[in-house]
Amino acid sequence: MWYDFQYKGGEYRVEDVSVKKIVEAVGTPCYIYSNSALEGDFDVFREAFSEISPLICFSVKANSNLAVLRTYANLGIGFDVVSGGELLRVLRAGGDPGKIVFSGVGKTEDEIKAAIEAGILFFNVESIEELQVINDVAKELGKKARIALRVNPDIDPKTHPYISTGLKKSKFGIEISKALDVYKEASRMEGIEVVGIDAHIGSQIFQLDPFVESLRKLIELGDALKNEGITIQYIDIGGGLGISYKEGEMPPHPKEYADVIKREINSTPYKLVLEPGRVLVGNAGILVTKVLYVKDGASTKFVVVDAAMNDLIRPAFYDSYHEVITVHESLGDEETVDIVGPVCESGDFFAKDRGLPKVKRGDLLAILSAGAYGFVMSSNYNTRPRVPEVMVRGEEFFIVREREAYEDLFRGEVIPDFMK
Ligand SMILES: *Cc1c(COP(=O)(O)O)cnc(C)c1O
């Protein structure tokens, strides 16, 4: 919630802890999450849907830190995973396997086996070949795998092309016109139990119509399946609800989102499954960085900071906007600057032509709304150790991932004998 991140007494705080104090302990750059914001933002989402109590499966790829996952596991919710690694994380964090759904176009046999053995709720199957492999693996284990087909409803969510996933040309899902035939085939497979229909149309979506349109197509398909004698229990509409990254941006409130969805699903026998990611974690985390240099370019003033695109790739990858503020409250004049990192790429920036109070070497900046697709997309590019993650709870803070050491970066690398 916004009030978990505020200036108090001239210093930016996460809950009741000053960011400066955290930086004194862990250095910069670092990610900081608010436990109260995680819980609060989840409450708002759950509350919006309360009458129909859907199964909410947090999309683990948005933020997979074990302490974040444990926060959700303690709230009793489910998880949407897209790899064997994410499955392991959820189990390690104490998540209920019976509330896990497994999505993704390229599940391996090992991943499928691990998921069946863990007893997940269902697979979101993305192709006929995958369906056959799941059937084979399940039979080998002497089990039945529960599945939903991920259909491609051919809907434009009107968001960034890299995060649009439900268009005809997209790699995701099974063409909705072919789905009926695939369901018929699935229902004849010995190792398969058909339980649901799934779609996920994209991310950072600001319009409700695409969600409604997609859901209507899924319900229609569910009814068509019924006529064929195939009864499904779950309709999974994926995630994708947008959040505000910029002052004045107005995504639909979860309540508005819930209202239009409830209107469609209420008169059906299906149990709703949701896979929110960004909307639950996006505004619950920040990335804190230190000013290394202030440099006057020919036409632009650059603020060079110690965080880089390898720590938060969204601006470089999606041209995303993140608010950047000074940690020490500054009421001085603003100047227009580019905020850039040390990586040797022109794409390594956090903000361009941005008004920022005058800063100097050593000042701390906070990059806001960095809780989703932040640390999880970080890399070691330029041989930069990945940064620590900190969780705040009230007046305390906890290091929930340590900063990588240089030694960690060489682990597993070998210089072959012939070079010695
Ligand atoms: C990424 C993803 C989500 C979560 O998307 P958000 O926009 O973060 O809510 C949900 N389901 C699937 C299948 C995804 O790939």
Side-chain angles (χ1 to χ4, degrees):
M1 310 291 270
W2 61 271
Y3 51 75
D4 295 311
F5 298 86
Q6 274 196 86
Y7 288 110
K8 254 180 238 154
E11 288 289 331
Y12 201 61
R13 286 167 184 265
V14 177
E15 300 186 38
D16 297 320
V17 183
S18 94
V19 166
K20 207 171 133 210
K21 189 171 146 197
I22 295 172
V23 166
E24 280 163 9
V26 304
T28 56
C30 64
Y31 276 95
I32 306 176
Y33 309 123
S34 155
N35 199 249
S36 154
L38 288 173
E39 292 187 349
D41 291 342
F42 175 70
D43 267 351
V44 169
F45 195 86
R46 171 153 63 186
E47 192 55 37
F49 283 97
S50 59
E51 306 111 87
I52 59 170
S53 49
L55 176 62
I56 300 172
C57 294
F58 170 63
S59 175
V60 174
K61 77 178 195 285
N63 188 322
S64 61
N65 182 282
L66 289 177
V68 171
L69 299 183
R70 174 62 72 98
T71 301
Y72 291 128
N74 285 347
L75 294 167
I77 72 169
F79 297 91
D80 170 41
V81 302
V82 293
S83 72
E86 286 191 354
L87 174 63
L88 265 180
R89 277 185 177 278
V90 170
L91 299 175
R92 182 69 59 88
D96 177 353
K99 292 180 181 168
I100 296 175
V101 298
F102 194 154
S103 307
V105 287
K107 305 173 193 80
T108 67
E109 277 180 62
D110 285 346
E111 289 174 324
I112 291 165
K113 187 161 176 250
I116 295 175
E117 282 176 335
I120 67 161
L121 182 61
F122 58 81
F123 290 93
N124 286 323
V125 177
E126 304 226 11
S127 65
I128 299 179
E129 255 186 322
E130 182 194 332
L131 183 64
Q132 287 158 345
V133 172
I134 294 176
N135 181 38
D136 290 344
V137 175
K139 282 196 301 192
E140 237 165 76
L141 294 172
K143 299 202 169 164
K144 262 187 187 296
R146 286 175 293 274
I147 66 109
L149 292 188
R150 176 170 178 177
V151 298
N152 181 335
D154 190 24
I155 283 165
D156 184 357
K158 302 181 183 81
T159 182
H160 192 284
Y162 287 7
I163 46 178
S164 296
T165 52
L167 281 161
K168 220 179 223 158
K169 61 179 184 201
S170 134
K171 73 175 176 182
F172 298 100
I174 294 168
E175 215 181 300
I176 195 155
S177 60
K178 292 188 182 145
L180 197 58
D181 286 336
V182 181
Y183 269 109
K184 282 189 212 161
E185 198 172 329
S187 69
R188 289 191 292 266
M189 290 179 170
E190 200 188 317
I192 296 291
E193 183 189 352
V194 175
V195 298
I197 306 176
D198 166 58
H200 169 72
I201 56 173
S203 197
Q204 184 59 2
I205 299 171
F206 267 50
Q207 297 188 10
L208 295 174
D209 290 352
F211 290 115
V212 173
E213 221 185 303
S214 169
L215 176 53
R216 281 188 186 152
K217 288 190 179 184
L218 302 191
I219 292 171
E220 223 171 83
L221 177 58
D223 296 346
L225 287 174
K226 197 159 176 228
N227 291 336
E228 298 289 338
I230 301 168
T231 317
I232 57 134
Q233 293 162 257
Y234 301 101
I235 284 192
D236 179 345
I237 60 166
L241 186 60
I243 61 166
S244 166
Y245 282 98
K246 198 182 206 167
E247 213 175 310
E249 248 178 4
M250 293 290 272
H253 189 276
K255 230 179 135 18
E256 298 172 75
Y257 170 70
D259 284 346
V260 297
I261 288 165
K262 281 187 288 192
R263 206 171 300 144
E264 301 299 321
I265 199 103
N266 260 343
S267 54
T268 74
Y270 310 119
K271 180 161 172 91
L272 183 68
V273 180
L274 298 153
E275 301 171 353
R278 190 188 311 269
V279 68
L280 298 187
V281 281
N283 283 323
I286 61 176
L287 172 62
V288 178
T289 184
K290 193 166 68 185
V291 175
L292 292 177
Y293 301 105
V294 180
K295 157 172 165 168
D296 273 311
S299 56
T300 311
K301 188 160 196 169
F302 294 101
V303 174
V304 183
V305 297
D306 65 355
M309 64 188 287
N310 71 298
D311 303 310
L312 175 68
I313 205 172
R314 298 189 68 258
F317 202 19
Y318 309 115
D319 202 18
S320 310
Y321 184 100
H322 283 267
E323 295 285 358
V324 183
I325 61 164
T326 56
V327 166
H328 184 74
E329 191 167 21
S330 171
L331 306 166
D333 287 343
E334 289 200 344
E335 49 186 2
T336 303
V337 298
D338 282 10
I339 301 166
V340 302
V343 162
C344 306
E345 298 275 352
S346 297
D348 183 24
F349 66 90
F350 293 110
K352 284 187 167 168
D353 289 326
R354 190 69 69 80
L356 189 73
K358 233 184 160 103
V359 293
K360 58 177 192 312
R361 176 170 164 79
D363 284 352
L364 296 176
L365 302 179
I367 301 168
L368 307 187
S369 307
Y373 307 104
F375 182 90
V376 285
M377 292 179 101
S378 65
S379 76
N380 294 120
Y381 188 40
N382 276 212
T383 304
R384 290 168 50 87
R386 286 184 304 165
V387 308
E389 294 174 284
V390 173
M391 178 81 75
V392 172
R393 172 104 183 155
E395 294 175 351
E396 292 183 282
F397 70 90
F398 305 87
I399 300 168
V400 294
R401 177 197 293 268
E402 288 176 0
R403 187 182 304 282
E404 270 178 339
Y406 281 118
E407 271 313 308
D408 297 330
L409 304 188
F410 309 130
R411 198 191 315 136
E413 276 181 65
V414 176
I415 296 173
D417 276 348
F418 81 89
M419 293 178 186
K420 284 177 187 163

